[in-house]
Amino acid sequence: MRNVLVLCTIALIYACGSTQTKEAKTNGAGIGGPDGLKAKITQVTSNGNGAFTDATKVEAIMNYLASDELKGRDSGSEGIEMAAAYIEKRFSNQGVVPYFAAFKDTLSNFERPAYNIVGLVEGTDPNLRKEYIVIGAHYDHIGVINAENGDAIANGANDNASGTTTVLEFARYFSQNRTNKRSLVFALFSAEEKGLLGSKHLAKKLKEEEMNLYTMLNFEMTGVPLKGKDYEIYITGYNKSNLAMVSNTYAEEKLVGFLPTAKEYNLFQRSDNYPFHQEFEVPSHTYCTFDFTNFDHYHKVGDEVDIMDFDHMATIINKMIPVVAGIANAETKEIKLN
């Protein structure tokens, strides 16, 4: 999450004192939502316990993306090229197809060769598949930095191998189950750490081709759980739309909450949701579990995979799948800007 380091410091001070052809509802008693939020999806299950993913599957992805071998996934580096190849292979093996001519989409706004990886799971409804949902996360980090105790690799496990893993598991679910009436674009962004460049590039490009974008759902720093909250994840820009209410209705619990600190430090503008908000003026938010108090290793070499909570990550993914499916299958566009 770009520029959070400065915010963390402040918080601690206060605390201490060419495109493929794209024509190609949970049971929603829910929390306080209208009847229009009811939908039906295929039961989220593959391993016999009612859950699609688990800690073991999550850990396997994280162990590669946040490994020393990738040397911190700096944009334009050999390490991020390896991460890109890994993401492409997963997409291809799972039946996700390229949104453009290939999965790699070269950034137009960065001095070194850098790529977003953009896949598509086309919607099943003849009309609704013409509406798109972008589900994104940045897969870059800051690479090799000043050494601490002999370690100079900023592995970026929480920031943002965790969000990338979440998106990869969503892509696996929807490519296997095909429960989405609307079309889902799975976008892994490069150069977020350089100024949201990957998402700026993609948002502009999709706007120029006049994509009918419904909403953009971004995932950032989801590797460790919130503490002392009555919800499990928050969205940035909470009051800018009714996404939290829609999410909680499909989750059938208070899954998504409001983090005052996110509003105080305007995190809405600090991750890859924001360029889509700017270009399309549609509901565009980031889901996150970093709250300035539960993670001390932002942009440091200590952001290692061994301090991630894989059970927490799997829980978030499993609980968010009915949310994404509900949004993708609703007969009308339920998420509205306030």
Side-chain angles (χ1 to χ4, degrees), residues 39-330:
K40 185 176 182 178
I41 63 170
T42 302
Q43 184 181 10
V44 179
T45 180
S46 75
N47 59 12
N49 64 0
F52 173 70
T53 194
D54 57 35
T56 301
K57 293 182 177 68
V58 168
E59 182 177 6
I61 302 171
M62 290 287 289
N63 277 340
Y64 183 72
L65 290 177
S67 65
D68 283 354
E69 185 181 3
L70 272 58
K71 298 188 184 302
R73 307 185 312 278
D74 193 15
S75 295
S77 71
E78 181 181 355
I80 200 170
E81 287 275 1
M82 295 168 67
Y86 175 83
I87 294 166
E88 287 182 289
K89 184 176 181 180
R90 286 189 66 90
F91 276 176
S92 182
N93 288 345
Q94 293 161 9
V96 178
V97 299
Y99 180 84
F100 299 111
F103 286 119
K104 278 185 176 178
D105 179 39
T106 304
L107 270 58
S108 59
N109 53 3
F110 189 59
E111 66 275 10
R112 288 179 284 165
Y115 314 94
N116 293 331
I117 311 298
V118 190
L120 172 70
V121 175
E122 191 175 37
T124 60
D125 184 90
N127 294 314
L128 290 178
R129 71 184 180 188
K130 299 173 187 177
E131 299 176 4
Y132 290 82
I133 299 169
V134 172
I135 301 170
H138 73 91
Y139 73 109
D140 67 308
H141 198 234
I142 60 173
V144 178
I145 61 175
N146 294 331
E148 295 180 23
N149 300 317
D151 183 6
I153 299 174
N155 299 77
N158 200 25
D159 186 15
N160 189 33
S162 63
T164 300
T165 297
T166 300
V167 172
L168 289 175
E169 285 293 81
F170 290 155
R172 183 169 70 90
Y173 173 80
F174 285 100
S175 63
Q176 289 179 357
N177 291 278
R178 301 286 168 170
T179 63
N180 52 298
K181 293 181 180 180
R182 290 182 175 84
S183 294
L184 304 178
V185 174
F186 296 97
L188 285 309
F189 304 111
S190 189
E192 188 266 1
E193 302 288 2
K194 310 299 183 183
L196 310 182
L197 298 184
S199 52
K200 286 178 180 178
H201 164 86
L202 184 62
K204 181 179 180 181
K205 188 169 183 175
L206 296 179
K207 181 66 174 179
E208 287 173 350
E209 70 167 32
E210 299 182 341
M211 170 185 270
N212 183 5
L213 181 63
Y214 171 22
T215 186
M216 192 279 178
L217 309 176
N218 189 54
F219 291 83
E220 174 91 43
M221 297 181 73
T222 58
V224 294
L226 294 163
K227 299 177 182 177
K229 306 292 193 297
D230 63 351
Y231 53 87
E232 295 186 53
I233 197 166
Y234 66 88
I235 57 169
T236 62
Y238 183 93
N239 293 318
K240 294 184 181 295
S241 80
N242 64 338
L243 176 61
M245 185 272 289
V246 171
S247 298
N248 290 339
T249 299
Y250 285 123
E252 298 188 292
E253 63 175 287
K254 188 176 180 182
L255 176 65
V256 179
F258 169 63
L259 182 72
T261 309
K263 181 178 181 180
E264 182 180 355
Y265 294 135
N266 199 16
L267 299 190
F268 180 73
Q269 296 185 10
R270 298 180 183 274
S271 193
D272 290 309
N273 61 288
Y274 191 61
F276 292 88
H277 166 78
Q278 289 181 303
E279 290 286 351
F280 287 92
E281 296 182 346
V282 299
S284 306
H285 299 264
T286 292
Y287 291 86
C288 184
T289 65
F290 164 75
D291 72 349
F292 299 93
T293 69
N294 62 347
F295 184 71
D296 298 328
H297 306 282
Y298 172 79
H299 280 192
K300 297 178 181 179
V301 297
D303 188 0
E304 298 269 13
V305 72
D306 60 0
I307 61 173
M308 297 295 99
D309 187 329
F310 302 123
D311 286 314
H312 153 76
M313 289 182 63
T315 295
I316 291 295
I317 293 165
N318 287 325
K319 289 186 175 185
M320 281 298 305
I321 285 173
V323 174
V324 177
I327 293 169
N329 283 289

